[in-house]
C-alpha cells in the first residue's frame, strides 16, 4: 500500500524574519555576481548570493543573450584577457558540446552558448562552492550607517529575510543596492535602448546557410517600418547542428518606473512577433514556416549606475592608459544603443587594451560596497564598452578580492599592489 500523506496545522509565528550571516553578500546573480560569489568562496569566505529572479543566471540566462563577448582582444592575433571562472566555463561547456567558439574575419572571438546548460553550470558550481543562495528575494530596505552597509532586508514568498555581512557586491545591474542605501546614483539623460532576444524555430536549416545578414539589414531599413519595426541592424544567429536561431533585432526604451516594466515586456514581444512576420514575408524561402520558440526577458543595457570615487571616461578607454588601481582589462568596442534604428560603434585598433579602475567600482560614500557589471561608474559611451560579459566576469573577480583584502576595513584603503598581484591573470597574462 502507498504511504499515507499527512499534513500539520501551523500559524504564522510572531517573529517571522530569518537572519542569514556571511562575510560577503552578493546582490545579483548574473555573470558578474556569479563570478564574484565563486571567487569569494574560493578565497574561503562565507558567501550568500541574492537575486530577485527565481533562479540564478541573470540576463545571461533569462534574456537569452546567447553569446559571450569581451574575453579576447581584437585583431590578427587575439588573446584572452579575462580568466577566472571564464576558463572553467569555457572548458566545461565546450567539453559537453554546449559552447561554440567563433572567430570573425576581423579577429573577433565570441562564444555561442546554450543558455540551459550555462544555467546548470552556474547552479552546480555555486552549490559545490557551499554558497548560500536566496532567489525570488526582493530587497525591501537596508541599514547603512557610518559609511558601511550592514544589513539588507528582503521579502520572499516564504517570508522576510535579513542578510548581515561585512562586505557587499552590487551586481544588480541597476545599482539597486547602492540606490536603496541612499547613495548617489546616475541615470542616463536620454534613452539607452534595450532588446528582447528570442529563439526562432521552423525555418529551413539548409537554406539559412545562404542568408546574408547585410541583406536583412538593408530590407529592415527599407521595409521594417511597415511591420512596426524600428531597428535596422542586429543579428540572426543559427546554432550549428540545431534547428533554432537566436534573434537580436529589437529596440525599446527601458524605463525605471514599476509600471513601465510590464509595458517594456509587451513592447519587446510585440516587436519579436513583428520580426517573424517580416522574415516570413521578406525571406519566404527560409522563413515561411518560422515561429517564435521562446521569448527572452527584456535585455537591459544601461539603466542606473553608481557614482563612484572615479568615473571612467571614453577618452581613458581610448588612450589605454593603465591607472594605478587597475582591476580589470578590457578590449570590447564602444557599443552604444542610443538610437532606435542603429547601434553606434567605435572600434579600436587591433590589440588595443584598456583598464577598469577599482575606484569606478566603489561608491563614493561607502567603505564596504563594490559594484560589478553594468552598474559601475563610467560615462555613457565607456559604460557601453565595459558592460559585456567578459569584463563583467573580470569585475566580479576583482570585487571579491577587494572585499577579501579589506576584511572589516575600507575598500579604499587596500594595497593596490596586493590586489593586482592577485589579479595578474586578468591584468598581465597573454
Amino acid at each position: 500500500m502507498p504511504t499515507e500523506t499527512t499534513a500539520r496545522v501551523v500559524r504564522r509565528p510572531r517573529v517571522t524574519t530569518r537572519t542569514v550571516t556571511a562575510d560577503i553578500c552578493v546582490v545579483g546573480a548574473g555573470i558578474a555576481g556569479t563570478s564574484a560569489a565563486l571567487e569569494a568562496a574560493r578565497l574561503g569566505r562565507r558567501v550568500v548570493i541574492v537575486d530577485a529572479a527565481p533562479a540564478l543566471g541573470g540576463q545571461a540566462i533569462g534574456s537569452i543573450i546567447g553569446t559571450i563577448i569581451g574575453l579576447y582582444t581584437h585583431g590578427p592575433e587575439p588573446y584572452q584577457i579575462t580568466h577566472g571562472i571564464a576558463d572553467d566555463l569555457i572548458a566545461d561547456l565546450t567539453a559537453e558540446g554546449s559552447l561554440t567558439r567563433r572567430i570573425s574575419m576581423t579577429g573577433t572571438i565570441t562564444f555561442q552558448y546554450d543558455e540551459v546548460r550555462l544555467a546548470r553550470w552556474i547552479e552546480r558550481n555555486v552549490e559545490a562552492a557551499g554558497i548560500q543562495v536566496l532567489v525570488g528575494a526582493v530587497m525591501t530596505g537596508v541599514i547603512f550607517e557610518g559609511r558601511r552597509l550592514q544589513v539588507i532586508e528582503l521579502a520572499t514568498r516564504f517570508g522576510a529575510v535579513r542578510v548581515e555581512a561585512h562586505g557587499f557586491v552590487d551586481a544588480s545591474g541597476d545599482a539597486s543596492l547602492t540606490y536603496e542605501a541612499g547613495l548617489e546614483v546616475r541615470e542616463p539623460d536620454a534613452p539607452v535602448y534595450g532588446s528582447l532576444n528570442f529563439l526562432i524555430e521552423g525555418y529551413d536549416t539548409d537554406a539559412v546557410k545562404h542568408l546574408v545578414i547585410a541583406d536583412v539589414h538593408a530590407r529592415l531599413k527599407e521595409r521594417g517600418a511597415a511591420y512596426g519595426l524600428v531597428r535596422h541592424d542586429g543579428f540572426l544567429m543559427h546554432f550549428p547542428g540545431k534547428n533554432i536561431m537566436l534573434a537580436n533585432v529589437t529596440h525599446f526604451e527601458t524605463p525605471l518606473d514599476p509600471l513601465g516594466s510590464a509595458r517594456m515586456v509587451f513592447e519587446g514581444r510585440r516587436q519579436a512577433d513583428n520580426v517573424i512576420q517580416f522574415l516570413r514575408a521578406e525571406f519566404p524561402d527560409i522563413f515561411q514556416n518560422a515561429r517564435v520558440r521562446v521569448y527572452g526577458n527584456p535585455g537591459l543595457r544601461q539603466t542606473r549606475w553608481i557614482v563612484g570615487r572615479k568615473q571612467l571616461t571614453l577618452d581613458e578607454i581610448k588612450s589605454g592608459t593603465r591607472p594605478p588601481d587597475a582591476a580589470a582589462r578590457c578590449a570590447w568596442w564602444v557599443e552604444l544603443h542610443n538610437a532606435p534604428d542603429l547601434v553606434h560603434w567605435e572600434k579600436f585598433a587591433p590589440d588595443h587594451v584598456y583598464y577598469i579602475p577599482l575606484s569606478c567600482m566603489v561608491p563614493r560614500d561607502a567603505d564596504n560596497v563594490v559594484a560589478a557589471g553594468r552598474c559601475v561608474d563610467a560615462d555613457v559611451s565607456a559604460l557601453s564598452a565595459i558592460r559585456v560579459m567578459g569584463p563583467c566576469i573580470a569585475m566580479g573577480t576583482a570585487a571579491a578580492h577587494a572585499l577579501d583584502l579589506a576584511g572589516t576595513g575600507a575598500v579604499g584603503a587596500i594595497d593596490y599592489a596586493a590586489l593586482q598581484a592577485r589579479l595578474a591573470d586578468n591584468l598581465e597574462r597573454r
Side-chain angles (χ1 to χ4, degrees):
M1 293 181 62
T3 303
E4 182 181 358
T5 301
T6 61
R8 64 181 183 274
V9 176
V10 300
R11 284 185 186 274
R12 178 177 178 270
R14 188 180 299 274
V15 178
T16 61
T17 301
R18 178 173 179 176
T19 298
V20 176
T21 61
D23 297 318
I24 295 175
C25 173
V26 179
V27 177
I31 201 66
T34 297
S35 176
L38 288 173
E39 194 70 20
R42 290 173 181 175
L43 292 168
R45 294 292 182 171
R46 294 176 303 132
V47 182
V48 58
I49 190 167
V50 178
D51 201 283
L56 303 177
Q59 291 199 143
I61 307 303
S63 298
I64 319 180
I65 293 174
T67 53
I68 301 174
I69 58 178
L71 289 174
Y72 283 74
T73 59
H74 303 277
E77 298 180 358
Y79 61 93
Q80 189 176 342
I81 55 174
T82 295
H83 296 273
I85 71 163
D87 293 340
D88 296 335
L89 187 158
I90 291 169
D92 293 346
L93 294 190
T94 300
E96 68 176 34
S98 302
L99 192 75
T100 302
R101 186 177 187 267
R102 291 172 171 265
I103 183 165
S104 73
M105 294 179 64
T106 59
T108 297
I109 293 177
T110 62
F111 292 90
Q112 194 172 348
Y113 66 88
D114 181 327
E115 77 281 355
V116 174
R117 306 315 307 160
L118 176 58
R120 288 297 295 131
W121 184 91
I122 291 171
E123 291 164 356
R124 288 195 303 268
N125 281 271
V126 165
E127 188 176 27
I131 296 168
Q132 299 179 91
V133 178
L134 286 167
V135 292
V138 179
M139 199 161 21
T140 58
V142 305
I143 297 175
F144 183 85
E145 295 177 351
R147 295 182 58 88
R148 298 190 72 84
L149 186 58
Q150 299 174 358
V151 174
I152 63 171
E153 297 167 337
L154 305 155
T156 79
R157 64 186 300 174
F158 301 114
V161 180
R162 61 185 271 138
V163 177
E164 300 174 355
H166 298 308
F168 294 81
V169 178
D170 190 343
S172 64
D174 306 312
S176 300
L177 183 59
T178 306
Y179 182 75
E180 289 297 328
L183 300 172
E184 293 180 325
V185 295
R186 302 186 197 275
E187 295 177 0
D189 291 327
V192 176
Y193 292 88
S195 296
L196 188 138
N197 290 357
F198 58 100
L199 296 179
I200 302 174
E201 64 181 0
Y203 58 94
D204 189 322
T205 56
D206 289 325
V208 78
K209 298 173 184 177
H210 305 292
L211 181 68
V212 178
I213 195 63
D215 294 340
V216 177
H217 293 166
R219 200 73 59 85
L220 280 168
K221 183 176 182 181
E222 177 186 356
R223 300 275 299 143
Y227 298 89
L229 300 175
V230 297
R231 189 172 175 184
H232 300 160
D233 60 7
F235 60 78
L236 299 168
M237 185 178 295
H238 172 68
F239 284 77
K242 298 184 179 180
N243 62 350
I244 55 174
M245 171 184 291
L246 176 66
N248 180 347
V249 286
T250 65
H251 260 175
F252 47 80
E253 293 189 31
T254 54
L256 286 166
D257 70 285
L259 290 176
S261 295
R263 294 194 299 269
M264 178 173 59
V265 174
F266 300 156
E267 172 60 17
R269 294 190 176 194
R270 183 192 68 78
Q271 288 190 29
D273 292 341
N274 291 347
V275 168
I276 294 295
Q277 296 305 316
F278 164 81
L279 292 173
R280 284 176 175 172
E282 302 295 329
F283 299 90
D285 291 347
I286 302 172
F287 294 104
Q288 61 180 333
N289 297 314
R291 57 189 177 271
V292 174
R293 177 171 181 169
V294 63
Y295 302 97
N297 297 330
L300 312 181
R301 292 188 171 92
Q302 296 181 31
T303 50
R304 181 187 286 138
W305 58 97
I306 71 168
V307 173
R309 299 186 177 189
K310 170 183 171 42
Q311 183 179 64
L312 182 65
T313 67
L314 176 60
D315 287 342
E316 287 170 325
I317 70 173
K318 283 182 174 180
S319 73
T321 302
R322 177 169 168 166
D325 62 339
R329 182 174 45 163
C330 308
W332 195 249
W333 302 309
V334 172
E335 182 193 340
L336 184 55
H337 293 249
N338 64 340
D341 54 342
L342 294 171
V343 177
H344 171 70
W345 291 93
E346 291 186 42
K347 297 185 177 183
F348 306 129
D351 293 330
H352 180 73
V353 170
Y354 57 93
Y355 299 87
I356 299 174
L358 181 67
S359 49
C360 84
M361 299 170 58
V362 180
R364 185 164 60 193
D365 298 317
D367 287 338
N368 67 333
V369 180
V370 182
R374 63 184 177 88
C375 62
V376 303
D377 196 4
D379 66 32
V380 172
S381 293
L383 190 56
S384 78
I386 65 173
R387 59 166 178 77
V388 298
M389 288 176 68
C392 285
I393 290 172
M395 285 186 273
T397 301
H401 282 279
L403 288 170
D404 182 60
L405 286 168
T408 57
V411 173
I414 67 172
D415 183 340
Y416 292 148
L419 175 67
Q420 291 171 358
R422 292 182 175 205
L423 300 176
D425 277 353
N426 287 348
L427 292 172
E428 311 285 351
R429 182 175 166 188
R430 288 198 61 154

